[in-house]
Amino acid sequence: MNPVEELNNLREEALRELAGAEELKVLESLRVAFLGKKGKLTTILKSIGKLPQDERKETGALSNKIKKELEACIKEKSSTLKASSLEMKMADERMDITLPQHGSVTGAAHPVNSVLIEICEIFISMGFSMAEGPEVDFEKYNFEMLNFPEDHPARDMQDTFYINNELLLRAHTSTVQIRTMLVQPPPVAIIASGKVYRKDADQTHSPMFHQIEGLMVDRAVTFKDLRGIVRILLDNIFHKDIPIRFRPSFFPFTEPSAEVDIGCTVCNGAGCKMCKDSGWLEIMGCGMVDPNVFDSVGIDPLRFTGLAFGMGVERIAMLKYRIPDIRMLFTNNMRFNLQFRGLR
Ligand code: DAH
């Protein structure tokens, strides 16, 4: 076979194979096979020097022409293959943006927390600031300095979780009254919220629950101030002008003391199971700071008076949302919890 024939055959072979190449990888291996350093066409080009003088020119020109033709063909093929592989990839990854979305579950504040935050915001709007105390506290802050007599039943191991002789899980947030007055001279207007612990468990009692405590001490704080604050609080949590009554009561750390009742949120005072037919629901304890408490923290009871109050957050959540059993608040059933999302 003369070199020209050989070259033409090679050209046809190359063009045929290139036409059949469907993948970039195949295309590249064809390029190597024909035009690479040891490729078929390269080999011919290299041997041109050995040809007789009269054949060199024609063969050389033809080889170069074929080389250019093949290079152009590979270049073109390569860009078509690249374009179609991109198209395939896009078709593959195509998404239908009109499809409905999977519903995503978002969280929500626990009903106890949302009531707690709501109450704190009401007090903050009245100018109270937030105070804090630990859940494990000294028994003297929980009882002694709050004027609990030595033999008060709440001091009993039966009722309170003791850690040792000195320490206990606080049974109320009233501990924060003492802690605040020990470090902050009057005027004081604070609220404190948090967990408290008692050995008690039934439909309306839980061994751990939340309280919000309030304390205001200044030169002429009166029971009238207490009534006004309680009125603003309950108007905001429940509804404007909800019936309220102050019922005389007793707490060791306040004198006089009262419990506050609201008109039953279920029967509006007509009498039902919820209010045990009384038409009233007990909502919080309060009173004027007992002089003995002022003495225990070194505040002069002749110069200062104070008001104090305390309430159970779970109880308020139960009355507000008519939850019949406190334990529902602690089972963490999401279907139960999510009912209160966005409610206030
Ligand atoms: N500490 C009381 C309790 O846990 C609630 C309470 C009543 C707090 C009267 C007060 C108050 O500050 O003045 O039952």
Side-chain angles (χ1 to χ4, degrees), residues 120-164:
C120 290
E121 281 173 354
I122 295 168
F123 282 115
I124 286 166
S125 79
M126 287 192 264
F128 284 75
S129 47
M130 306 277 303
E132 270 181 335
E135 288 170 34
V136 174
D137 211 340
F138 295 108
E139 106 129 314
K140 63 180 176 187
Y141 294 165
N142 195 91
F143 292 131
E144 201 179 306
M145 295 170 81
L146 284 164
N147 196 36
F148 277 76
E150 201 63 60
D151 59 353
H152 191 283
R155 290 199 182 210
D156 204 312
M157 300 279 281
Q158 298 278 299
D159 298 300
T160 302
F161 294 100
Y162 280 83
I163 308 272
N164 56 34

Side-chain angles (χ1 to χ4, degrees), residues 10 88 93 99 136 152 211 262 265 343:
L10 189 69
M88 264 162 58
E93 291 173 2
L99 279 177
V136 174
H152 191 283
Q211 280 190 334
I262 55 170
T265 49
L343 275 190

Side-chain angles (χ1 to χ4, degrees), residues 1-16 34-35 39-49 51 55-70:
M1 223 195 296
N2 71 40
V4 173
E5 233 174 288
E6 202 182 329
L7 276 169
N8 280 329
N9 286 345
L10 189 69
R11 173 178 172 270
E12 260 165 48
E13 183 196 341
L15 289 177
R16 204 179 332 110
F34 288 98
L35 304 176
K40 291 180 186 172
L41 186 64
T42 320
T43 316
I44 294 179
L45 268 166
K46 275 186 193 159
S47 63
I48 283 175
L51 291 175
E55 286 177 26
R56 271 190 218 165
K57 199 169 170 202
E58 192 191 0
T59 318
L62 184 60
S63 306
N64 278 326
K65 198 177 141 214
I66 294 175
K67 187 179 175 201
K68 287 214 174 89
E69 187 185 1
L70 294 185

